[in-house]
Amino acid sequence: MIQSTHKSHQLKAVGMISGGLDSILAAKIVKDLGVEVHGLFMKMPWGCCDQAHAQQAADSIGIPLIILQLDERYLETVRNPRHGRGTAMNPCVDCRVHMFRRAARYMEHIGADFVFTGEVVGQRMMSQKKQSMALIARQSGLEGRLLRPLCAGILEPTVMEEAGQIDRQRMMRITGRSRKPQYLLAKRYSVEGYSAPAGGCLLTDQKFSRRIKDVFEHGYRNFRETISLKWGRHYRLSPEFKCILGRNMDENMALIRYAHPDDIIMQLPDNHGPTLILKGINPSPQILATAAGILQHFSKHKGQASIAMKYWPVKQRNLVQPIQAQELSADDLNPMKV
Ligand code: SF4
């Protein structure tokens, strides 16, 4: 456990700000105690949390906010969790340990005294049971320095509470999944316009989980590869190659924006319809023909005689070449779907 330093200066804290109501309330409580609060937003590799909401929340509380990008180190935590997963690929306990470790480093970096969150005992099955919360504090290196103001009244006191630097009487005792106590508290603090409670983590989504599992099995080059997992249709052609097709103009453009320099872009001859991104290095003519067949299947030419698609490497836009599509039925496609 980190020992009390009995500082007499104004306390300084790092607050984990998601933009949801609980993190706003926690920050309000801590700020009301006269603590200097610095907000920290953890951005998922695939960017599923709303950074704009977090910024809005920080502005409304009147605190600075820094954005911390979770990268390949986070992906390794998701790939090999020590404490198991929830209903999908979500390794909630390990995820929290990873995030709090990084928060602890930021705390040390700016010379803050503690980290706080808007967590509530019993709100989440895996990571917010009393036992898990203690384990997470311990394994992240924040034991005694991790304050959960919404439920601190029923948790072991932190170093700051023991030293009388944080008034334990002003800590809440909220438990469970009901949101009523938070809504009452929001009224008391005149908090309005907050986003819905967090719950949109893509790792809890079965479809996204299938795709990230596929990426872990077949390899990825950097965390940006996982961004496109949330868009389009995904087909695995071989252990080395997979393709993604946009389902609308926005997805087509997003897929091109996040393509790797080694990827290939494929489109219909008249540019209408889906854009296909072929992932993998130096595809054979057979792989290109299969990708072209998938592209034709999702175009206005579905079921017609094979047509030639055009393709080019992301890094050589002027190297456009034709490839005749392989004729594929839905039955051929199904086993390849990710
Ligand atoms: S729901 Fe997602 S973000 Fe939240 S703790 Fe679990 S894995 Fe992490």
Side-chain angles (χ1 to χ4, degrees):
M1 181 190 273
I2 300 169
Q3 295 303 306
S4 166
T5 49
H6 295 284
K7 291 174 183 171
S8 55
H9 70 264
Q10 184 195 17
L11 285 180
K12 192 168 167 181
V14 172
M16 309 274 279
I17 305 294
S18 66
L21 177 59
D22 294 0
S23 65
I24 298 175
L25 292 174
K28 290 262 187 194
I29 293 169
V30 174
K31 199 161 177 255
D32 260 19
L33 296 170
V35 176
E36 180 185 327
V37 174
H38 292 252
L40 178 60
F41 175 78
M42 299 274 179
K43 189 172 175 182
M44 284 292 197
W46 39 86
C48 64
C49 314
D50 198 332
Q51 186 179 326
H53 272 129
Q55 189 61 61
Q56 248 171 30
D59 293 345
S60 72
I61 305 160
I63 57 169
L65 182 78
I66 75 139
I67 314 296
L68 207 149
Q69 176 69 61
L70 296 174
D71 52 23
E72 287 79 13
R73 290 168 288 179
Y74 180 73
L75 288 179
E76 280 312 302
T77 300
V78 178
R79 189 209 280 260
N80 290 313
R82 287 176 61 193
H83 302 290
R85 302 181 192 280
T87 51
M89 282 292 275
N90 50 311
C92 294
V93 172
D94 296 84
C95 168
R96 301 306 271 177
V97 170
H98 181 92
M99 288 185 182
F100 292 174
R101 266 191 200 145
R102 298 203 62 186
R105 280 208 288 278
Y106 182 58
M107 174 189 88
E108 281 159 15
H109 178 68
I110 64 168
D113 301 276
F114 65 98
V115 171
F116 70 87
T117 77
E119 290 169 293
V120 164
V121 171
Q123 194 174 75
R124 285 171 189 269
M125 293 281 287
M126 271 188 93
S127 58
Q128 292 181 30
K129 284 193 282 191
K130 243 182 174 181
Q131 225 179 357
S132 326
M133 288 166 90
L135 179 141
I136 290 165
R138 223 170 29 247
Q139 293 200 348
S140 62
L142 278 173
E143 191 174 24
R145 295 271 169 200
L146 183 54
L147 185 72
R148 280 107 167 190
L150 297 185
C151 59
I154 56 163
L155 297 176
E156 286 293 309
T158 56
V159 168
M160 300 76 69
E161 289 162 285
E162 276 175 344
Q165 296 168 304
I166 294 279
D167 182 358
R168 191 164 165 82
Q169 298 308 314
R170 292 175 68 179
M171 295 295 103
M172 302 289 137
R173 306 172 70 85
I174 304 175
T175 59
R177 300 173 75 94
S178 161
R179 307 286 300 156
K180 263 192 193 159
Q182 284 94 321
Y183 294 145
L184 288 174
L185 211 51
K187 261 195 187 157
R188 201 199 299 168
Y189 279 109
S190 306
V191 176
E192 288 170 351
Y194 44 84
S195 60
C201 171
L202 283 173
L203 290 172
T204 63
D205 178 272
Q206 296 294 344
K207 188 163 92 175
F208 185 84
S209 290
R210 216 172 42 241
R211 291 176 176 179
I212 198 143
K213 214 168 152 187
D214 175 76
V215 162
F216 287 155
E217 271 169 31
H218 297 99
Y220 58 93
R221 291 161 285 201
N222 55 49
F223 77 83
R224 278 173 66 85
E225 297 252 63
T226 63
I227 295 173
S228 52
L229 296 182
K230 58 188 178 182
W231 300 309
R233 298 181 163 93
H234 293 234
Y235 289 89
R236 174 142 306 274
L237 313 186
S238 75
E240 295 81 22
F241 293 95
K242 98 173 229 189
C243 64
I244 312 173
L245 295 92
R247 288 170 300 183
N248 53 47
M249 183 74 86
D250 286 347
E251 285 191 350
N252 288 343
M253 285 164 61
L255 288 172
I256 291 176
R257 200 163 55 246
Y258 286 98
H260 188 276
D262 291 333
D263 293 344
I264 279 181
I265 300 176
M266 192 178 285
Q267 285 179 341
L268 274 87
D270 62 3
N271 298 332
H272 291 301
T275 292
L276 180 148
I277 306 293
L278 179 60
K279 296 200 159 284
I281 298 169
N282 296 329
S284 65
Q286 178 56 56
I287 289 288
L288 286 164
T290 307
I294 296 174
L295 182 55
Q296 179 163 349
H297 182 86
F298 288 105
S299 76
K300 60 190 175 195
H301 301 288
K302 178 182 176 182
Q304 297 174 7
S306 155
I307 61 168
M309 302 297 172
K310 57 179 185 180
Y311 74 94
W312 62 95
V314 170
K315 56 190 171 203
Q316 278 172 289
R317 286 179 178 195
N318 52 358
L319 202 67
V320 181
Q321 295 177 73
I323 179 75
Q324 197 66 35
Q326 180 185 344
E327 287 187 15
L328 295 170
S329 67
D331 286 346
D332 295 321
L333 258 65
N334 282 340
M336 293 190 259
K337 194 167 190 305
V338 182

